[in-house]
Amino acid sequence: MRVLFGICFCLVIIPASTSVIFAQIPAGYKGKPFKDQYYQLGAQTIPGRVQLAYYDLGGEGIAYHDSTPENEGAKLNHEVHDYGSHKRPGITDYTAFFRENEGVDISYTKDWADFNHPNKVDPAVNQLYIGWEADGEWTNYTVDVKAPGKYKIITVYGYKDNRSSLWLNGQLAVQLKLPEDTGNWHYWTQATIGEIYFPTAGLQLLTLKYNAGANLAFLDFVRIDK
């Protein structure tokens, strides 16, 4: 360390084995944190829960990629059959047809599908989730990291591992592992599915790349290196 004209200059030596990631949203990214008339908080915060239905605004190829243009969950919830409507009594249009004009497939937990049997861990009532997943689909999330460090990732999910991964600012951060096949998309459980390191605080871009196999509700980020 040297002091010159009242300014302290520090030389920091970084071992050759240490990889340095400059954590910032990739230049040119045009997506924006999700907001609508009801949800006004903007970027979801870490530590905390990232609701997967609240992926960024920006549309196909920017905020998400989906293999079909329709929101399959909203489409199903418009249907009425001899056994009843998928829009359950008392459910608002906002929940039943959430982001129905976009391609990501979103539905919500229902009495006759998700709560008419025992779950190892119950999801929340009317919990929004991403379903109808196909290989190669992804969603982007602008998040506000309040504290850098290592976090475990916890989720509530239904069915089996889908070889998903989480990317931080365009770089692979963690391969996620759903440890248990629940046997059905609507049989739910909870598990820790990976760990991630955030080197800096501030706005970051998370990309969830998923494949066919599961219903996914949210990701909880719980700091583990305090």
Side-chain angles (χ1 to χ4, degrees):
M1 181 178 66
R2 298 182 63 188
V3 178
L4 185 61
F5 302 114
I7 302 174
C8 176
F9 293 87
C10 298
L11 176 64
V12 179
I13 300 175
I14 299 174
S17 60
T18 301
S19 61
V20 179
I21 300 175
F22 295 96
Q24 59 184 359
I25 296 175
Y29 178 61
K30 297 180 180 179
K32 301 295 182 183
F34 174 71
K35 283 187 178 182
D36 66 8
Q37 60 180 322
Y38 298 107
Y39 180 82
Q40 293 287 314
L41 297 178
Q44 301 182 76
T45 59
I46 294 173
R49 175 166 294 178
V50 173
Q51 294 284 356
L52 297 181
Y54 293 173
Y55 60 88
D56 280 0
L57 300 171
E60 168 65 38
I62 296 175
Y64 67 86
H65 168 63
D66 197 275
S67 58
T68 61
E70 298 87 11
N71 178 334
E72 300 293 342
K75 179 181 176 182
L76 177 67
N77 292 335
H78 277 290
E79 296 179 4
V80 178
H81 300 270
D82 55 359
Y83 53 81
S85 170
H86 283 267
K87 181 179 181 293
R88 307 302 294 142
I91 299 302
T92 65
D93 286 355
Y94 179 76
T95 297
F97 312 125
F98 189 72
R99 306 184 78 167
E100 70 172 326
N101 295 320
E102 301 182 44
V104 179
D105 306 313
I106 298 171
S107 193
Y108 67 97
T109 53
K110 302 181 178 74
D111 52 354
W112 66 7
D114 304 282
F115 301 110
N116 63 350
H117 55 263
N119 291 301
K120 287 196 171 180
V121 176
D122 282 335
V125 175
N126 302 332
Q127 169 70 53
L128 295 169
Y129 64 86
I130 292 177
W132 292 266
E133 297 173 350
D135 290 353
E137 295 182 337
W138 50 265
T139 41
N140 274 336
Y141 304 85
T142 299
V143 296
D144 187 2
V145 179
K146 296 299 186 181
K150 183 184 288 187
Y151 290 76
K152 63 181 177 180
I153 306 168
I154 303 170
T155 193
V156 168
Y157 71 93
Y159 211 19
K160 57 187 177 181
D161 189 62
N162 55 358
R163 306 179 314 283
S164 56
S165 60
L166 201 58
W167 296 63
L168 176 61
N169 301 317
Q171 299 185 46
L172 176 63
V174 57
Q175 297 284 353
L176 303 175
K177 176 64 177 176
L178 307 181
E180 178 184 356
D181 182 344
T182 68
N184 185 284
W185 284 281
H186 299 283
Y187 295 169
W188 296 84
T189 192
Q190 177 178 290
T192 297
I193 61 173
E195 295 181 356
I196 188 172
Y197 178 72
F198 295 99
T200 65
L203 293 178
Q204 316 286 321
L205 181 66
L206 285 178
T207 303
L208 175 62
K209 297 187 178 182
Y210 46 86
N211 297 289
N215 287 337
L216 297 172
F218 54 77
L219 300 177
D220 280 341
F221 293 85
V222 180
R223 194 173 176 193
I224 57 177
D225 66 345
K226 296 180 181 179

